[in-house]
């Protein structure tokens, strides 16, 4: 204990020198560390943004897909992307995306064009009013204008009385690059003359964005299918084909042609015999009426038993949807029987449950219950027929499932299914496979049985459980209070 109170025998001058030496050492270390940190910051700030940012968004908003990498890495000619934006008004997401394109290929150059400095620049590419953060993609003599409104896409959903917003920057840019470097683009002919409905706007925009040219074709005015037709499409017809039209399409498919048909029950409740005989040639037969599901697990909770949720089966057309756990909604569908298919490869893409049935009364039905004369399922609601001659037919039996409201309810799965079918028949380019990235929460597509279960849990089980727990806690506390000390 005595040593604790003894004074140091070291001279005061030496102690001062040691303290000064220690302080100088600490100051030097601090200066070195600060210099290193400053150097690292300067170095990192000089790196491209794509190397210093990591995408943790659920929709991978700040990333480019492998499809884009394939397109830009295979470029054989230079591409310039003009970014029309005022100084200080740059969109961070678009800036990050453009930096990824530029870093991915030495043939891509991004050039800013400030409209305040170059007020007439865009007039050589478009007559439209060009908002900030719009893009112009150019290669040689070909160019495409991408409006800011085509990058951040807002879609009105009349079914849910709301707007959905998606980011389609990558899809729009990659599609534009594919367009300007390829003069020949696939062509889709829409058949007319049978009361067909107009293509839903969302789907048409997707087709055009994927560089598929659309033209109308009346088979009554031609004896041959145009040679430049990569695919024919018949959408929601109300009347039947003539026998001559039917024979023309049958020969076309048998000899390697591609045909996409979206046709459900008609208001007259009659099967379009000549049209569906194209399937009958391969043993696929239509079933009279409208398909209903009696099991709530197989129909939409919001639309009822006629809006079926068919099971998806593995195929190039459906695999991407199966892997992502999407559900397709097929409202007012016709059933197909494939038991006797022959002479080709017939693949069931969509099927109903074992408890489904076809309501023979069709649009005139007064009940969703099974009645005498109704036809037992299961059925196919979508098939792919690949012929020995290299032709292909893809057939979906609902005239309404592409409508914007049902497509929105399926979180875009309905539209993606048909785009996958087109890509499979036309020969998919990498640019066609890029879909927009939603900035909203996806709609939750649930079956009727799941909705009923949630109601029981939320209204009955959970409240009663919490009530029981609360009563138990109160009784336990009272019993402890009444126990003698």
């Amino acid at each position: 204990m005595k040593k604790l109170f003894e004074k140091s025998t070291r001279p005061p001058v030496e102690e001062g020198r040691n303290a000064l030496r220690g302080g100088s050492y600490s100051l030097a270390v601090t200066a070195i560390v600060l210099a290193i940190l400053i150097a690292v910051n300067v170095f990192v700030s000089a790196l491209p943004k794509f190397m210093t940012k990591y995408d943790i968004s659920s929709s991978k908003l700040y990333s480019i897909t492998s499809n884009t990498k394939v397109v830009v890495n295979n470029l054989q000619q230079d591409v310039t992307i003009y970014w029309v934006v005022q100084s200080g008004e740059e969109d961070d997401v678009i800036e990050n995306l453009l930096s990824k394109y530029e870093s991915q290929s030495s043939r891509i150059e991004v050039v800013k064009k400030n409209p305040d400095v170059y007020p007439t620049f865009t007039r050589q590419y478009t007559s439209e009013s060009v908002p900030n953060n719009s893009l112009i993609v150019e290669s040689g003599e070909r160019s495409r204008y991408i409006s800011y409104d085509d990058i951040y896409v807002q879609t009105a959903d009349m079914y849910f009385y709301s707007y959905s917003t998606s980011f389609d920057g990558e899809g729009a840019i990659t599609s534009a690059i594919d367009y300007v470097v390829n003069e020949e683009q696939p062509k889709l002919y829409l058949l007319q003359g049978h009361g067909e409905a107009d293509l839903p706007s969302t789907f048409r925009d997707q087709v055009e964005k994927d560089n598929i040219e659309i033209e109308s074709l009346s088979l009554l005015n031609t004896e041959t299918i145009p040679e430049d037709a990569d695919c024919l499409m018949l959408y929601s017809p109300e009347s039947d084909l003539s026998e001559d039209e039917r024979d023309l399409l049958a020969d076309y498919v048998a000899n390697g042609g591609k045909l996409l048909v979206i046709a459900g029950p008609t208001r007259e409740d009659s099967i379009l015999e000549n049209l569906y005989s194209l399937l009958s040639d391969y043993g696929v037969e239509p079933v009279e009426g409208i398909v209903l599901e009696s099991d709530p697990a197989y129909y939409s909770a919001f639309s009822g038993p006629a809006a079926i949720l068919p099971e998806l089966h593995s195929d190039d057309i459906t695999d991407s949807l199966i892997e992502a756990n999407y559900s397709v909604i097929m409202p007012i569908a016709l059933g197909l029987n494939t038991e006797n298919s022959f002479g080709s490869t017939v693949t069931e893409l969509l099927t109903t449950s074992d408890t489904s049935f076809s309501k023979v009364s069709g649009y005139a039905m007064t009940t969703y219950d099974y009645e005498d004369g109704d036809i037992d399922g299961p059925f196919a609601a979508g098939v792919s027929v690949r012929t020995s001659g290299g032709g292909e037919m893809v057939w979906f039996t609902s005239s309404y499932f592409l409508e914007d409201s049902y497509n929105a309810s399926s979180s875009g799965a309905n539209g993606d299914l048909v785009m996958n079918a087109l890509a499979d028949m036309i020969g998919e380019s990498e640019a066609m496979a890029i879909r927009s990235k939603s900035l909203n929460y996806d709609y939750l597509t649930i079956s009727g049985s799941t909705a009923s279960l949630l109601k029981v849990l939320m209204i009955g089980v959970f409240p009663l459980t919490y009530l029981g727990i609360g009563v138990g806690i109160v009784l336990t506390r009272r019993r402890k209070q009444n126990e003698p000390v």
Side-chain angles (χ1 to χ4, degrees):
M1 293 294 297
K2 186 176 181 180
K3 291 183 179 180
L4 295 176
F5 297 98
E6 290 181 354
K7 293 184 179 180
S8 173
T9 58
R10 186 175 300 174
V13 174
E14 186 177 348
E15 289 185 355
R17 289 176 179 173
N18 290 337
L20 181 61
R21 189 181 298 114
S24 300
Y25 177 77
S26 299
L27 183 62
V29 170
T30 301
I32 292 172
V33 171
L34 286 175
I36 293 174
L37 290 176
I38 292 173
V40 169
N41 275 286
V42 171
F43 173 74
V44 171
S45 64
L47 293 174
K49 288 189 176 181
F50 75 94
M51 297 180 64
T52 60
K53 292 185 177 181
Y54 182 72
D55 188 359
I56 60 173
S57 62
S58 60
S59 61
K60 296 301 178 184
L61 184 63
Y62 303 96
S63 303
I64 58 174
T65 63
S66 59
N67 304 83
T68 288
K69 293 176 182 178
V70 170
V71 171
V72 299
N73 287 336
N74 290 331
L75 286 175
Q76 301 299 317
Q77 57 197 78
D78 294 336
V79 174
T80 302
I81 302 176
Y82 294 107
W83 185 11
V84 183
V85 60
Q86 292 173 310
S87 179
E89 298 296 327
E90 294 86 354
D91 182 285
D92 290 338
V93 178
I94 294 177
E95 183 176 17
N96 176 73
L97 182 62
L98 291 175
S99 70
K100 291 185 180 298
Y101 277 91
E102 198 168 26
S103 65
Q104 193 66 39
S105 173
S106 59
R107 289 194 173 274
I108 295 179
E109 180 184 11
V110 177
V111 178
K112 277 188 183 182
K113 287 293 183 179
N114 189 332
D116 295 333
V117 180
Y118 305 96
T120 63
F121 172 75
T122 61
R123 294 180 186 174
Q124 58 187 307
Y125 300 100
T126 180
S127 59
E128 299 179 28
S129 175
V130 178
N132 261 332
N133 290 293
S134 296
L135 305 173
I136 296 170
V137 180
E138 181 182 51
S139 180
E141 297 181 357
R142 293 172 66 84
S143 65
R144 173 174 285 182
Y145 163 60
I146 305 172
S147 171
Y148 180 76
D149 296 329
D150 294 326
I151 297 175
Y152 288 94
V153 182
Q154 276 202 335
T155 305
D157 184 357
M158 301 306 296
Y159 189 80
F160 288 97
Y161 301 101
S162 63
Y163 285 88
S164 60
T165 304
S166 59
F167 180 78
D168 199 22
E170 182 188 1
I173 296 172
T174 302
S175 175
I177 292 174
D178 182 68
Y179 172 79
V180 298
V181 299
N182 294 299
E183 293 187 7
E184 295 185 4
Q185 300 294 341
K187 185 169 290 187
L188 173 68
Y189 279 91
L190 286 178
L191 300 182
Q192 292 187 337
H194 314 93
E196 292 87 354
D198 294 331
L199 281 181
S201 58
T202 300
F203 180 74
R204 176 179 280 273
D205 291 343
Q206 181 65 51
V207 172
E208 293 176 345
K209 191 205 81 173
D210 286 349
N211 297 330
I212 300 175
E213 297 179 8
I214 300 176
E215 286 195 22
S216 299
L217 175 66
S218 173
L219 297 179
L220 296 174
N221 300 331
T222 182
E223 296 181 356
T224 60
I225 304 298
E227 292 184 0
D228 62 348
D230 292 284
C231 183
L232 304 182
M233 180 176 181
L234 182 61
Y235 178 69
S236 187
E238 280 294 323
S239 60
D240 203 1
L241 303 175
S242 67
E243 291 187 5
D244 290 338
E245 290 175 306
R246 184 264 177 215
D247 292 341
L248 183 60
L249 289 178
D251 292 340
Y252 170 71
V253 173
N255 294 311
K258 315 294 184 180
L259 176 63
L260 172 63
V261 178
I262 298 176
T266 62
R267 290 286 177 180
E268 290 75 20
D269 293 328
S270 60
I271 292 176
L272 307 178
E273 294 184 2
N274 287 332
L275 173 61
Y276 275 90
S277 68
L278 293 170
L279 284 177
S280 301
D281 288 347
Y282 302 96
V284 181
E285 298 290 343
V287 177
E288 185 180 0
I290 294 175
V291 176
L292 299 181
E293 284 284 4
S294 57
D295 186 346
Y298 290 92
Y299 65 78
S300 170
F302 304 107
S303 303
I308 63 176
L309 301 175
E311 181 180 354
L312 278 68
H313 297 274
S314 179
D315 187 84
D316 290 341
I317 296 173
T318 55
D319 282 345
S320 62
L321 299 178
I322 295 173
E323 292 170 3
N325 295 316
Y326 276 108
S327 294
V328 172
I329 301 175
M330 299 287 284
I332 313 179
L334 189 74
L336 298 176
N337 190 326
T338 65
E339 292 180 358
N340 300 316
S341 58
F342 60 87
S344 60
T345 302
V346 176
T347 303
E348 293 183 338
L349 303 175
L350 310 171
T351 59
T352 63
S353 72
D354 293 338
T355 59
S356 64
F357 60 93
S358 185
K359 199 73 176 172
V360 175
S361 55
Y363 281 97
M365 74 176 76
T366 57
T367 177
Y368 288 140
D369 296 331
Y370 183 90
E371 297 178 307
D372 291 340
D374 291 341
I375 304 170
D376 293 323
F379 311 105
V383 297
S384 171
V385 179
R386 295 175 173 88
T387 70
S388 57
E392 184 177 1
M393 289 188 294
V394 176
W395 212 287
F396 298 111
T397 64
S398 169
S399 293
Y400 301 100
F401 86 112
L402 263 187
E403 290 187 355
D404 291 343
S405 59
Y406 288 109
N407 187 49
S409 298
S410 68
S411 298
N414 288 6
D416 283 349
L417 177 66
V418 181
M419 288 306 304
N420 289 349
L422 277 176
D424 182 69
M425 290 188 288
I426 289 175
E428 179 176 22
S429 71
E430 297 295 335
M432 288 180 62
I434 301 171
R435 303 290 182 255
S436 60
K437 301 171 183 179
S438 176
L439 300 180
N440 302 91
Y441 292 109
D442 287 340
Y443 290 115
L444 179 61
T445 304
I446 60 175
S447 63
S449 60
T450 303
S452 299
L453 176 61
L454 290 174
K455 289 178 183 178
V456 172
L457 291 174
M458 297 299 181
I459 298 175
V461 175
F462 290 162
L464 290 176
T465 299
Y466 292 140
L467 178 61
I469 293 173
V471 171
I473 292 174
V474 171
L475 293 177
T476 301
R477 288 178 177 176
R478 287 185 177 180
R479 186 173 63 252
K480 288 182 178 181
Q481 289 176 353
N482 294 330
E483 290 178 355
V485 179

